[in-house]
């Protein structure tokens, strides 16, 4: 339908992977760190490619999560999204619209996740050796390439800095 936003198969796979990660950890909530793991485990989307380029791996993130010493909740049923995770999902849809597409891709989800600068996910990315500024720059370049927009040249510092603004 015209004007209707939809979620790409890559995002659907990433969200399912995030839910499975939460279940495997016996968490009752799907938190930002589960979203990050889901994006990595999805494997083929733009977000997974950018995270791989920054050497943010599943192994590194799992190691950081294990240090949290969270209490597993064996009685937890289906995990539900935390308010912050819901906000990120909503913001990813806004990112897609802002970028002029009707499909929410993993790149939009990672963009929205990265804007939550104080989140565990962003801290884990930094602790894994990833650079938030580089991730924004890689995302912008990848989105341009996807849209056949290479003629605009390299991403400027201003564009990369846009990613550090909060919504």
């Amino acid at each position: 339908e015209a004007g209707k936003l939809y979620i790409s198969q890559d995002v659907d796979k990433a969200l399912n992977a995030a839910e499975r990660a939460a279940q495997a950890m016996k968490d009752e909530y799907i938190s930002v760190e589960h979203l990050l793991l889901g994006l990595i485990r999805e494997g083929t989307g733009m977000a997974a490619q950018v995270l791989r380029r920054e050497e943010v791996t599943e192994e590194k993130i799992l190691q950081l999560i294990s240090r949290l010493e969270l209490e597993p909740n064996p009685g937890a049923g289906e995990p539900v999204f935390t308010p912050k995770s819901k906000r990120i999902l909503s913001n990813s849809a806004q990112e897609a619209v802002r970028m002029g597409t009707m499909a929410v891709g993993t790149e939009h989800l990672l963009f929205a996740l990265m804007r939550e600068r104080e989140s565990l996910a962003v801290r884990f990315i930094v602790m894994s050796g990833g650079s938030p500024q580089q991730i924004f720059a890689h995302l912008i370049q990848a989105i341009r390439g996807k849209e056949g927009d290479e003629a605009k040249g390299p991403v400027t510092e201003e564009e990369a800095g846009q990613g550090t603004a909060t919504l």
Side-chain angles (χ1 to χ4, degrees):
E1 289 177 44
K4 190 170 186 177
L5 203 60
Y6 67 96
I7 293 175
S8 71
Q9 285 184 323
D10 291 347
V11 169
D12 193 45
K13 281 173 56 179
L15 294 178
N16 284 329
E19 182 178 7
R20 284 193 308 276
Q23 288 171 329
M25 294 173 195
K26 306 217 181 319
D27 288 337
E28 28 185 343
Y29 298 104
I30 301 169
S31 304
V32 292
E33 62 273 20
H34 300 120
L35 290 178
L36 177 60
L37 264 179
L39 287 170
I40 293 169
R41 287 178 174 173
E42 180 277 326
T44 60
M46 200 178 292
Q49 293 171 33
V50 166
L51 290 166
R52 218 174 6 258
R53 187 171 174 180
E54 281 293 300
E55 299 181 15
V56 177
T57 65
E58 178 177 353
E59 294 75 24
K60 289 178 182 177
I61 301 305
L62 285 171
Q63 186 177 41
L64 291 166
I65 290 172
S66 72
R67 291 187 199 165
L68 293 177
E69 299 179 22
L70 298 173
E71 286 296 315
N73 184 352
E78 289 284 310
V80 295
F81 288 97
T82 62
K84 186 178 281 188
S85 292
K86 286 180 185 177
R87 184 173 65 237
I88 289 168
L89 293 174
S90 174
N91 289 346
S92 68
Q94 292 172 10
E95 290 291 345
V97 170
R98 191 175 65 78
M99 293 178 190
T101 181
M102 298 314 291
V104 179
T106 60
E107 61 273 22
H108 306 114
L109 187 52
L110 183 55
F111 231 102
L113 187 68
M114 295 301 298
R115 287 185 187 272
E116 294 284 335
R117 289 196 314 253
E118 303 303 315
S119 74
L120 269 181
V122 174
R123 281 194 260 162
F124 284 175
I125 286 170
V126 171
M127 292 169 76
S128 297
S131 160
Q133 291 78 12
Q134 283 299 307
I135 289 174
F136 280 117
H138 294 321
L139 281 171
I140 291 167
Q141 286 176 328
I143 291 165
R144 280 186 176 176
K146 183 177 172 182
E147 295 170 351
D149 218 359
E150 299 91 347
K152 286 187 178 176
V155 175
T156 65
E157 281 186 44
E158 182 179 299
E159 285 174 313
Q162 286 175 0
T164 59
T166 52
L167 293 176

